[in-house]
Amino acid sequence: MKAPVRITITGAAGQIGYAVLFRIANGDMLGPEQPVILQLLDLPQAQQMLRGVRMELEDCAFSLLQQVTITDDPKIAFQDTEIAILIGARPRSKGMERKDLIEANGAIFSEQGKLLNQYAARHVKVLVVGNPANTNALIAMKNAPDLEPRNFSAMMRLDHNRAIAQIALKLFQPIRDIKKMVIWGNHSGTQYPDLDHAEIRGRLVRDILTYQRENETSVGQEWIEREFIPTVQNRGAAVIEARGLSSAASAANAAVAHMHDWMLSSHHNDWVTMSVPSDGSYGIPEGVIYGFPVTCKQGLYQIVQGLGISALGRKHMEESYRELIEEREHVKHLLR
């Protein structure tokens, strides 16, 4: 039996937290032979609900789940943690501007970065889910100077999955056959879902769309720009409009997939999208957490290099970078 991995989930009583916990305890994230210890953090007023969640986890009798700790004390939640999934964040309320949300959540992630720096295992892997995820990840990273910056990431796997699903629906193709999707930039409406490299069984998606356009069953580039890109960019808002609540199960699924691929490995002959500290790749300067295509193996990632970028793509990528710089300016007082 392997030694258990300690996993911290913040906002654990919320809908995303609830959806993610049972997947982790079942082995979906770290594999069927890896025991886990869950350290669940939420606000004092959520502790009764957390007790019920712990009871449900116990009642599932997961063979991999060795221990569940519930707490409203982040020092306890972050103690010796090896994986931290930071979900808890203030939601955007009616009349609140994005910059107000950034500042409100910035204070939360500043404090959590400091606590991770003090209490977490030195090899901890951090995934920020709470929005605005990219800038919150930057804040947490900057407030944890003793931890490796490459161990901080923000979630864009949900955007990645949404883009793949739209292509599967459009072309009536199996999800598993769609490879090499890219979502560049920020987890926001400025992100750029890039189809230029996407493949289906070795054939470029763009070529398939063009072929179908000639047979009057698709509109090719026009569909990409007018439907595909805005649909992926605005999918979160569309879910809220339809459901009355923000994405929960799909976000939890994306978090599990993000950490699974990061900690184990990404798929053969494919890559995934992660928001990671920019190293200058593709002309995106250092100093932001930015969505890139990456390959992963055993807790390490590498940004995929050498991909061609169209003029349209470059325009979108620069727009997303500028938005991240604006967000960074709003919280510069929180960056150590």
Side-chain angles (χ1 to χ4, degrees), residues 44-194:
Q45 57 266 36
Q47 293 305 298
Q48 181 174 346
M49 186 176 292
L50 268 187
R51 284 192 288 274
V53 172
R54 180 172 61 186
M55 291 167 67
E56 283 202 86
L57 285 164
E58 292 167 352
D59 292 349
C60 287
F62 290 116
S63 61
L64 296 173
L65 183 57
Q66 290 202 358
Q67 181 183 341
V68 180
T69 298
I70 63 172
T71 184
D72 60 6
D73 185 348
K75 296 176 183 177
I76 294 173
F78 289 131
Q79 185 67 52
D80 298 323
T81 190
E82 297 168 273
I83 294 175
I85 302 179
L86 308 184
I87 300 171
R90 179 178 174 178
R92 188 170 180 173
S93 57
K94 186 175 181 179
M96 178 181 282
E97 295 186 13
R98 185 175 176 85
K99 66 179 182 180
D100 299 323
L101 180 67
I102 291 169
E103 291 207 23
N105 282 329
I108 295 172
F109 287 87
S110 172
E111 182 63 20
Q112 290 185 351
K114 294 171 185 176
L115 291 165
L116 283 165
N117 194 65
Q118 186 172 357
Y119 293 101
R122 299 300 86 180
H123 58 277
V124 64
K125 299 293 190 293
V126 181
L127 169 60
V128 175
V129 176
N131 283 317
N134 293 53
T135 294
N136 287 341
L138 179 69
I139 294 168
M141 182 189 78
K142 289 293 187 180
N143 281 275
D146 298 330
L147 299 178
E148 171 59 53
R150 286 176 56 87
N151 287 349
F152 286 79
S153 66
M155 192 173 81
M156 291 189 74
R157 186 60 171 269
L158 180 52
D159 309 299
H160 184 100
N161 290 347
R162 286 166 170 168
I164 288 174
Q166 290 302 308
I167 293 303
L169 290 168
K170 178 68 175 176
L171 298 178
F172 304 101
Q173 295 293 321
I175 290 286
R176 66 178 179 272
D177 288 347
I178 301 170
K179 312 289 187 184
K180 299 183 179 178
M181 185 66 68
V182 187
I183 311 291
W184 302 97
N186 195 7
H187 175 61
S188 75
T190 68
Q191 65 180 251
Y192 174 49
D194 183 358

Side-chain angles (χ1 to χ4, degrees), residues 57-336:
L57 285 164
E58 292 167 352
D59 292 349
C60 287
F62 290 116
S63 61
L64 296 173
L65 183 57
Q66 290 202 358
Q67 181 183 341
V68 180
T69 298
I70 63 172
T71 184
D72 60 6
D73 185 348
K75 296 176 183 177
I76 294 173
F78 289 131
Q79 185 67 52
D80 298 323
T81 190
E82 297 168 273
I83 294 175
I85 302 179
L86 308 184
I87 300 171
R90 179 178 174 178
R92 188 170 180 173
S93 57
K94 186 175 181 179
M96 178 181 282
E97 295 186 13
R98 185 175 176 85
K99 66 179 182 180
D100 299 323
L101 180 67
I102 291 169
E103 291 207 23
N105 282 329
I108 295 172
F109 287 87
S110 172
E111 182 63 20
Q112 290 185 351
K114 294 171 185 176
L115 291 165
L116 283 165
N117 194 65
Q118 186 172 357
Y119 293 101
R122 299 300 86 180
H123 58 277
V124 64
K125 299 293 190 293
V126 181
L127 169 60
V128 175
V129 176
N131 283 317
N134 293 53
T135 294
N136 287 341
L138 179 69
I139 294 168
M141 182 189 78
K142 289 293 187 180
N143 281 275
D146 298 330
L147 299 178
E148 171 59 53
R150 286 176 56 87
N151 287 349
F152 286 79
S153 66
M155 192 173 81
M156 291 189 74
R157 186 60 171 269
L158 180 52
D159 309 299
H160 184 100
N161 290 347
R162 286 166 170 168
I164 288 174
Q166 290 302 308
I167 293 303
L169 290 168
K170 178 68 175 176
L171 298 178
F172 304 101
Q173 295 293 321
I175 290 286
R176 66 178 179 272
D177 288 347
I178 301 170
K179 312 289 187 184
K180 299 183 179 178
M181 185 66 68
V182 187
I183 311 291
W184 302 97
N186 195 7
H187 175 61
S188 75
T190 68
Q191 65 180 251
Y192 174 49
D194 183 358
L195 273 184
D196 284 352
H197 315 285
E199 299 177 356
I200 297 177
R201 295 182 296 278
R203 187 178 176 193
L204 287 174
V205 168
R206 278 188 170 276
D207 291 345
I208 299 173
L209 288 167
T210 300
Y211 175 81
Q212 290 200 344
R213 181 180 60 189
E214 292 170 356
N215 285 273
E216 299 181 349
T217 60
S218 179
V219 289
Q221 183 62 27
E222 182 180 358
W223 176 81
I224 291 171
E225 294 188 32
R226 295 191 178 183
E227 295 189 43
F228 172 72
I229 291 175
T231 294
V232 177
Q233 289 175 330
N234 300 309
R235 186 67 166 186
V239 170
I240 293 173
E241 180 68 23
R243 183 172 176 259
L245 295 167
S246 60
S247 303
S250 56
N253 178 69
V256 168
H258 177 116
M259 291 306 307
H260 174 276
D261 289 349
W262 192 6
M263 297 302 294
L264 301 177
S265 65
S266 49
H267 305 289
H268 176 68
N269 194 35
D270 198 7
W271 56 63
V272 294
T273 301
M274 288 174 58
S275 279
V276 298
S278 177
D279 61 358
S281 294
Y282 296 98
I284 303 301
E286 296 180 12
V288 295
I289 305 288
Y290 196 92
F292 291 101
V294 303
T295 56
C296 304
K297 187 174 183 179
Q298 302 298 316
L300 301 174
Y301 67 82
Q302 294 292 330
I303 295 174
V304 175
Q305 299 294 334
L307 299 180
I309 307 295
S310 67
L312 174 67
R314 179 57 60 187
K315 176 183 175 182
H316 280 292
M317 290 171 67
E318 291 176 355
E319 179 185 359
S320 207
Y321 172 72
R322 287 194 298 270
E323 182 183 53
L324 285 167
I325 293 299
E326 291 172 4
E327 291 183 8
R328 189 179 69 185
E329 281 300 301
H330 284 308
V331 296
K332 61 184 179 181
H333 59 287
L334 297 174
L335 305 177
R336 295 176 53 156

